[in-house]
């Protein structure tokens, strides 16, 4: 690694290293410490970072949506401008292949540009105008106008598995900045050098577009997350990671003097249902594609298919054999870090130890790489709510479950906890008989897929990367796609306030040219 | 009271009285027990009520929005059809005047009809369609479509102060039913006979419009709320009441195996800022109108103005004198119940006992009625975050605070906790000098009023009856107005699902004729 890293925290547009504790990034392949040390933020620095974000909030939130859009676009440009050496650093820290990192960078900058479009479109304002009805009886109606503003400084926790798209300048940061909320970002220990480069890019963009100092802050270190979430200045939290970690943040946030919302994307086993006609027509292809989805990115996707359900039949048995063949051919892969590998090992061990679970393929898990694994479990584990099958095993592993018939399939699906996704592999002849599945799946998940694989999560307006607990802590949010901005907005109403004092989004002339709900009807027009 | 009451719980369309504990309604004027006993729900009955709501959910949520609209309109008609004897019962239970109850009934049925309009308008679906881009490189985009569905059974807690509009068939119930969520309603002990009549009306409407049994359930009794909120079948909670009560529910909900959102509207002192030019031009009128707002409904409004701020001047001193005169003329009033009166007494006592607070008018609080009270407090109580001034005293009482200058006014406002409302009494000449106040107030409150009084809360699209903690538990919601439905909805995405299997809101032909966001642009059109 030829680049140099200061390892200082980013606070209010300055670099800061008040604490004595140093933390280090490691080479994900070798586990060896990389040169350069990162300064764990002291409690004073956590305070300072939140203070900087709080100080930036009044100015930042009042900037026009156009100005914020320019900021996001400048971030995108800066990200795209990072050189090959940047990608090399990320590959070294995460063991992810460079093509994946290049693609993830494009996704990350594209995400910033998409939020810029949202800001210009203006629907995020949720503008609503009910004009005065002075002659109404028995009481006149005052003039009432509603729009949405940012909730305040947001704490964002970087995820390990997407060092760009769900990290420093990732989806939560983009959504918060778009909403007008300054960010205090807690860098993930798995890619601190990457985080430093991205934070520098972000600050260059902030400077170039004249953003207030403190619009973005980043702190390093273990244990600082708790102080961050408990800080009275923080008004919402974004997190992607484990159920245990996410739930701990939720509990802290709920116990504050002022409770705040936590949007944690946590744990999902993403059931895939293989239906009979699809099996009959294209079993081999399904087995091949499904195994590819299971091992994609070493299985380190939130939407990794961790459970495969089918109805007992010779065709399903043959499919399982095909799946076993493909899974057995998959090479071991280096995981993101030692902690992830250790968790994977524990998850595999728990499956091996369970009498209701049978191993179908996979070399014994040992050494420094993750061995792809295929298991088969008895449906009773689902029906009797055994926690084992409900728990995400983060890595290249999936569990097949055979059910006896369609009724048992419905019961098994009903027994599932909340999920990010559910996938039907089905032909049109299946859909008549199994149409009811959509109704059952809909209440369990954030996204229902037909004949696709859940591991691709498109960044667009219609995406939902969310779902009932424990997939996320709040099923009403999404952490991918433009609806993600809603998590960090709240409505405010103005009553009888003169036009000149109203925010532009609510003025009679509609200077922003946005669509508004006026007296109960959508309208792009100016008011008389 | 000539009507008869069974006092049975309402569960799954049946009446149920499994428990042995009886609770009684009392005459709010005399404190005497009214004839008829109400059966506190047993734990089994809480279970049964949630089970009935859960059983109704799949069918109810799949009904068309039109069908749900018809149900809400039928409820409205049934409410309007309740006779004079019904109003007499409510007056007896709450000591509220009959004109207020008649008006509140109109508000309540109007609210149901407004949500019916929302259902027909269809914007609550939040429909978004990103069509497939099969030729996109490097990867094609699948077809992605998002809409919103109800979160599941909702627990609603009735408020004491609006026995109709914030109770059995009140705003939270209306919003949940509109969203497709069955309701388990916990009747308030202060108006159980009223609640029984309203629940009967609601069930008549459900039967008349063919709703599933269990779409609405009601349980009586103390202590059953905890079991309700902790029940795994409940997916969200609506509450209007005290900070203590609301926070307790939030804590319970956060500690569940599956945490759920609680929308609690709790405590607000609703500051009113009286600015110099307004004082100069119409001090007498302002004092008169403000005192009327303070004592309206015996001060038992969530938006009661509990804090009056002005800049020290001879004019403000004169205004305080005028306010004192009006407050001193206000008659004592009977409160909703003995508990509310006791709380009011305690709140007044705490103000009297504080060395920084001076009493300006009001007879000693004693007996069975609330004596209107006016206090004056030193600004240091605000600036130094003394909790006393931040706490709502629910009743006909307000506190005046003088500040030294505009800068101190801003500091005082900044020191406030979250509020439902803030009001400026100001002339146009004030607004130039004090325009900055809007920015400061906006981050503190849900609604900013100019030259009105916060005690009127219009039911419309643009209303926000919400605000930062402790005004509510979640600033992103409102409990009045059509946006209230959002609290009980969550997004779901369909990927590559054929048209015939999609919900109507997302089908190509747009059979509902609703506006959708199609490929990033709002459109009412059918898709090709």
């Amino acid at each position: 690694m030829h680049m140099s890293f200061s390892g200082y925290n980013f606070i209010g547009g300055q670099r800061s290293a008040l604490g004595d504790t140093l933390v280090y990034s490691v080479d994900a392949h070798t586990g060896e410490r990389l040169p350069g040390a990162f300064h764990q933020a002291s409690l004073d620095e956590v305070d300072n970072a939140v203070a900087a974000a709080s100080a930036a909030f009044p100015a930042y939130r009042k900037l026009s949506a156009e100005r914020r859009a320019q900021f996001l676009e400048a971030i995108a440009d800066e990200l795209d401008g990072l050189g090959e050496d940047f990608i090399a650093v990320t590959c070294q820290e995460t063991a992810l292949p460079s093509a994946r990192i290049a693609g993830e960078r494009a996704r990350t900058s594209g995400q910033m540009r998409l939020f810029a479009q949202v800001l210009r479109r203006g629907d995020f304002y949720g503008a609503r105008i009910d004009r005065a009805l002075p002659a109404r009886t028995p009481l006149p109606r005052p003039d009432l106008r509603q729009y949405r503003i940012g909730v305040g400084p947001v704490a964002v926790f970087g995820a390990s598995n997407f060092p760009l798209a769900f990290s420093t300048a990732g989806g939560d940061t983009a959504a918060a900045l778009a909403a007008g909320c300054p960010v205090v970002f807690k860098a993930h220990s798995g890619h601190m050098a990457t985080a430093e480069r991205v934070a520098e890019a972000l600050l260059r963009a902030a400077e170039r577009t004249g953003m207030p100092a403190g619009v973005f802050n980043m702190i390093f270190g273990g244990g600082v997350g708790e102080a961050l979430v408990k800080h009275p200045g923080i008004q919402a939290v974004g997190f992607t990671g484990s159920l245990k970690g996410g739930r701990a943040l939720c509990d802290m946030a709920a116990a504050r003097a002022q409770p705040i919302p936590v949007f944690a994307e946590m744990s999902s086993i993403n059931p895939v249902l293989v239906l009979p006609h699809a099996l009959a027509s294209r079993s081999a292809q399904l087995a091949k594609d499904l195994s590819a989805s299971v091992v994609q990115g070493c299985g380190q996707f939130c939407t990794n298919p961790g459970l495969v359900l089918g109805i007992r039949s010779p065709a399903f048995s043959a499919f399982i054999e095909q799946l076993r063949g493909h899974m057995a051919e998959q090479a071991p892969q280096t995981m993101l870090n030692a902690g992830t590998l250790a968790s994977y090992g524990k998850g595999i061990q728990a499956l091996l130890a369970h009498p209701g679970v049978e191993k179908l393929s996979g070399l014994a898990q040992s050494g420094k790489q993750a061995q792809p694994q295929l298991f088969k479990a008895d449906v009773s584990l689902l029906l009797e709510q055994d926690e084992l099958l409900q728990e995400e095993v983060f890595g290249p592993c999936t569990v097949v479950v055979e059910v006896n018939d369609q009724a048992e399939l419905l019961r098994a699906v009903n027994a599932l906890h909340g999920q990010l996704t559910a996938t039907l592999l089905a032909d049109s002849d299946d859909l008549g008989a199994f149409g009811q599945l959509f109704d059952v799946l809909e209440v369990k998940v954030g996204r229902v897929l037909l004949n696709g694989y859940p591991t691709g999560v498109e960044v667009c307006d219609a995406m939902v990367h969310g779902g009932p607990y424990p997939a996320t802590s709040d099923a009403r949010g999404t952490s991918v796609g433009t609806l993600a901005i809603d998590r960090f907005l709240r409505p405010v109403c103005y009553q009888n306030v003169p036009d000149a004092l109203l925010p532009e989004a609510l003025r009679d002339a509609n200077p922003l040219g946005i669509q508004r709900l006026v007296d109960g009807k959508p309208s792009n027009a100016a008011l008389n």
Side-chain angles (χ1 to χ4, degrees), chain A residues 84-346:
Chain A
E84 286 305 312
D85 50 351
F86 165 74
I87 290 182
V89 165
T90 309
C91 294
Q92 196 170 22
E93 285 189 306
T94 62
L96 294 169
S98 62
R100 149 91 188 258
I101 298 302
E104 192 180 322
R105 175 170 63 178
R107 177 191 178 91
T108 309
S109 56
Q111 193 159 254
M112 285 286 171
R113 293 191 181 99
L114 187 61
F115 277 108
Q117 285 179 36
V118 170
L119 288 172
R120 293 198 177 102
R121 194 166 67 208
D123 51 344
F124 79 95
Y125 283 121
R128 296 171 162 216
I129 297 175
D130 289 310
R131 286 182 285 190
L133 300 173
R136 190 183 66 171
T137 54
L139 286 172
R141 180 170 84 179
D143 182 278
L144 290 154
R145 303 184 184 216
Q146 175 189 125
Y147 81 141
R148 298 194 300 174
I149 66 172
V151 295
V154 172
V156 175
F157 288 74
S160 64
N161 57 339
F162 283 84
L164 305 178
F166 287 80
S167 191
T168 316
D172 285 345
T173 298
L177 292 178
C181 300
V183 166
V184 180
F185 183 79
K186 157 73 175 68
H188 195 281
S189 59
H191 51 266
M192 292 184 286
T194 300
E196 175 160 334
R197 281 292 171 269
V198 173
E200 287 167 353
L202 216 152
L203 287 198
R204 284 195 299 274
E207 193 164 333
R208 191 144 63 77
T209 54
M211 294 297 123
V215 68
F216 178 84
N217 311 274
M218 184 169 80
I219 55 178
F220 293 109
V224 300
E226 179 170 348
L228 183 57
V229 170
K230 290 182 173 173
H231 197 292
I234 293 298
Q235 295 301 302
V237 178
F239 170 87
T240 298
S242 70
L243 176 56
K244 192 177 158 199
R247 180 63 191 253
L249 295 184
C250 290
D251 291 345
M252 286 175 209
R256 288 167 45 122
Q258 174 217 6
I260 55 172
V262 175
F263 302 98
E265 191 266 271
M266 302 183 295
S267 171
S268 181
I269 56 173
N270 304 297
V272 174
L273 284 64
V274 192
L275 299 190
H277 288 280
L279 271 185
S281 68
R282 50 197 168 100
S283 176
Q285 187 66 42
L286 292 177
K288 186 178 169 200
D289 294 345
L290 181 57
S291 66
S293 180
V294 170
V295 303
Q296 189 182 351
C298 195
Q300 298 166 129
F301 281 55
C302 316
T303 51
N304 186 50
L307 183 70
V308 181
L309 287 158
I311 298 174
R312 179 169 290 124
S313 72
F316 191 57
S317 298
F319 169 79
I320 295 173
E321 267 312 299
Q322 290 161 331
L323 189 60
R324 185 153 80 107
H326 288 295
M327 288 297 292
E329 284 167 14
Q330 304 293 337
Q333 293 178 66
T334 302
M335 296 198 88
L336 290 158
N337 53 58
T340 306
L341 182 66
S343 293
Y344 182 64
K346 272 188 211 159

Side-chain angles (χ1 to χ4, degrees), chain A residues 32-53:
Chain A
E32 283 171 19
R33 184 183 282 188
L34 293 172
F38 295 84
H39 293 260
Q40 175 160 309
S42 67
L43 290 180
D44 279 347
E45 284 174 312
V46 175
D47 265 353
N48 294 345
V50 178

